[in-house]
Amino acid sequence: MASILFEIQHNIGFITLNRPDKLNAFNREMALLLQNTLDECASSKEVRAVHITGAGKGFCAGQDLAEVIDPNGPGMDSILSEHYNPIITRIRNLPKPVVAAVNGVAAGAGANIALACDVVLATVSASFIQAFSKIALIPDSGGTYTLPRLIGWQKASALMLLGDKVSATDAEKMGMIYKVFEDDLFEEESKKIAITLSQLPTKSLGYIKHVLNYSANNNLEEQLLLEDQFQQKAAVTKDFNEGVNAFLEKRKANFTGE
Ligand code: LHQ
């Protein structure tokens, strides 16, 4: 069985992390397959939003720890540069919205891959663990960049040092994730949000991502210039024309993503 499942439906690339007996922990094969699948989502005209979830009861338990000590495994010196860093870069640079549908525990790199996504949803029984310090590692997969920006320095620092488990409900309260849904509604609700995103003006969503990517480090002047530059790009899309006309004609806009 493939460690990454992928199908396109309703203009959404549905990605499922699929090693359920290991809580979808990543081995090299799965990391490389996820990279390829994200590339396919980026280049496919049909895909206008991406939805990532896990098979079985977990979302992702991070790195497969058995592979780390396997003498024939990839080796510590290549795991970040070849597996996780390219995944995070791909998610952030993908010019389409990526939804993380966190269906269960998200630990280590699994948590930080989820947090790199544009809209993070979780089922009420899910949880997030910066598990790294428990095995004498440091948070990776962008966690030291993303988490303090999401929840503030103090909470990020404490969670990373202690490795405490955060319930989905607490994660929502502290601004780590967007929304929590009851377990029985989760699949349907997370797909609904992906469908909504897939019907919005795709180019403008891509530009929003791009501009937000820079906001963490730009000063106000730089950010205002970037907004100006990308607003002009948005204003020449077909969807901008459609959005304005639909508003003036008091009808629902039919965005095509162009
Ligand atoms: C696993 C794993 C796992 C293998 C559950 N590996 N089998 C970057 C640089 C280089 C090297 C290292 O890594 C990284 C990035 C990282 O991600 S570091 C962090 C790695 N992840 C962890 O340390 C988390 C380890 N897992 C856990 O602490 C627990 O499994 C959690 C809290 C996630 C879930 O606990 P439970 O719900 O009690 O499930 P469980 O522990 O019983 O796991 C179910 C099965 O999955 C079990 O197998 P078994 O054959 O006994 O049923 C686990 O061994 C297996 N599994 N995580 N990361």
Side-chain angles (χ1 to χ4, degrees), residues 115-180:
L115 299 181
C117 294
D118 302 295
V119 179
V120 188
L121 309 170
T123 192
V124 74
S125 60
S127 55
F128 296 80
I129 314 174
Q130 294 293 323
F132 307 88
S133 64
K134 298 254 166 87
I135 53 167
L137 287 180
I138 69 151
D140 57 34
S141 304
T144 58
Y145 180 93
T146 312
L147 197 60
R149 286 171 168 81
L150 290 172
I151 63 172
W153 186 280
Q154 173 55 215
K155 284 201 175 86
S157 160
L159 288 180
M160 287 177 170
L161 296 170
L162 292 163
D164 281 346
K165 183 197 270 198
V166 179
S167 69
T169 314
D170 285 347
E172 183 193 35
K173 277 190 207 138
M174 60 175 82
M176 192 191 298
I177 66 172
Y178 181 50
K179 264 187 194 172
V180 174

Side-chain angles (χ1 to χ4, degrees), residues 21-23 25 61-65 76 80 109 129 132 137 140:
D21 53 332
K22 305 270 178 217
L23 296 177
Q63 171 63 35
D64 185 324
L65 294 175
M76 272 306 277
L80 291 189
I129 314 174
F132 307 88
L137 287 180
D140 57 34

Side-chain angles (χ1 to χ4, degrees), residues 24 35 42 52 78 86 114 118-119 137 145 150 156 223 236 240 247:
N24 307 315
Q35 291 172 23
I52 305 179
S78 63
D118 302 295
V119 179
L137 287 180
Y145 180 93
L150 290 172
Q223 198 63 14
V236 295
F240 172 63
F247 174 78

Side-chain angles (χ1 to χ4, degrees), residues 58-73:
F59 176 74
C60 175
Q63 171 63 35
D64 185 324
L65 294 175
E67 188 184 63
V68 177
I69 55 156
D70 179 350
N72 300 314

